[in-house]
Amino acid sequence: MPDHGIVVVTGAAGFIGRACVAQLKANGWRVRGLVRALDGQTAARAEFLSVGDLAAIGAHSLANALRGAVAVVHLAARVHQPERDDAHAAYRAMNVGVTQRLAEAAIAHGVRHFVFASTVKVNGETTAAGRPFRESDPPDPHGEYAQSKWAAEQVLGALAQPSGLRVTALRLPLTYGPGAKANFAALARAVRHGVPLPLASVANQRSILGVGNCCSALATLLASDDAPDRGRVTPYFVADRTPVSTPELIRAIAQAIGVTPRLFALSPGLLRFAGACAGHAATVERLLGSLEVDTSAFCSRFGWAPPVSLARGLAAALRTTAPL
């Protein structure tokens, strides 16, 4: 097996991080997965390194974490949290400040490639029918999370140009896999427990990403030639092969779990009205609206195609996830 060198993965204890550590090891990388603290799953494995809070890590510890690395995959982030008065500062400290400090240290220690896990929401919350987001579309981030990710991409661009660092920003859609939380877990839990869902008439299109496809894309990216991309940030969209509607996703989840989905139809207008009255307009819109991305740039540049089908990805995610 080839030895590609050392890759540092932040957020290695998360569900994407754990899968990526395993994939990169299998592909011949010497992985150093950074975690806040070792636990029962990571303590006996040499590839995991406890570094505490990345927002408070000392210069010596950061240098030790990056020692000898040729690439960094930065997955650690502050993700969607209940809005608070200090939300702006909290998102900026983690998603911008930590990213900047990590990239500066990477440059100082000779890292060649910095991969940043960004979000599709840098480009916006919804897409028009038949018009998926493309990398050439202007950013339009809404909310503290998306805005902090876009700010981090800009900081990385300012650092890359004078240093020659190659930076790839992967703008990821909803990602699912074993241990996934938030929206995917909530939807899977509702399906598992037979909650009636008034979404049968929804005709949207949403790009999603299985963690197996995410890791495959990452491994392909890290093995690629870096000459064309040095000294700049290159954004890419990565997703499963085919977008799905919300009812299609619910049926696929139900099939993976082995239950019958309880879908019935209410008009989208009525659902939006009910969501607004209940203070959940944004949540309802995520179920009704389209958010589609065009992955042709990444697939063409790296000769990549998603290897894992939706059915296989969901089966793996829901078979190995703790009961919901």
Side-chain angles (χ1 to χ4, degrees), residues 112-202:
R112 298 198 302 266
H113 192 181
F114 192 99
V115 180
F116 178 60
S118 189
T119 173
V120 61
K121 292 177 181 291
V122 162
N123 287 85
E125 294 287 332
T126 60
T127 52
R131 181 59 176 88
F133 283 139
R134 299 178 176 89
E135 289 83 357
S136 58
D137 291 333
D140 185 27
H142 299 265
E144 296 291 353
Y145 172 68
Q147 290 168 3
S148 67
K149 286 290 191 176
W150 170 231
E153 287 191 30
Q154 293 175 290
V155 165
L156 289 170
L159 293 171
Q161 197 279 327
S163 67
L165 179 68
R166 178 190 183 188
V167 179
T168 306
L170 295 179
R171 294 180 181 169
L172 305 179
L174 182 148
T175 303
Y176 63 91
K181 300 179 182 178
N183 295 331
F184 175 75
L187 187 59
R189 184 165 52 248
V191 173
R192 186 185 296 275
H193 292 307
V195 175
L197 299 170
L199 303 167
S201 63
V202 176

Side-chain angles (χ1 to χ4, degrees), residues 39 50-51 76 83 92 103 116 124 134 184 205 221 231 293:
D39 58 21
S50 173
V51 295
E83 293 296 330
R92 292 293 166 133
F116 178 60
R134 299 178 176 89
F184 175 75
Q205 288 288 286
L221 171 64
V293 300

Side-chain angles (χ1 to χ4, degrees), residues 14 16 40-41 52 79-80 82 101 134 154 161 204 208 224-226 232 247 260 290 294-295 301 303 320:
I16 297 177
Q41 294 183 331
V79 295
H80 303 289
R101 189 168 176 228
R134 299 178 176 89
Q154 293 175 290
Q161 197 279 327
N204 60 349
I208 59 177
S224 66
D225 175 34
D226 67 352
R232 63 191 179 109
T260 299
S290 291
D294 182 345
T295 63
R301 165 70 172 84
T320 57

Side-chain angles (χ1 to χ4, degrees), residues 14 23 49 96 104-106 138 153 159 168 174-175 230 286 298 304:
Q23 177 78 62
L49 177 66
V96 184
E104 289 171 342
E153 287 191 30
L159 293 171
T168 306
L174 182 148
T175 303
R230 292 175 187 158
R286 282 193 288 270
F298 186 91
W304 179 79

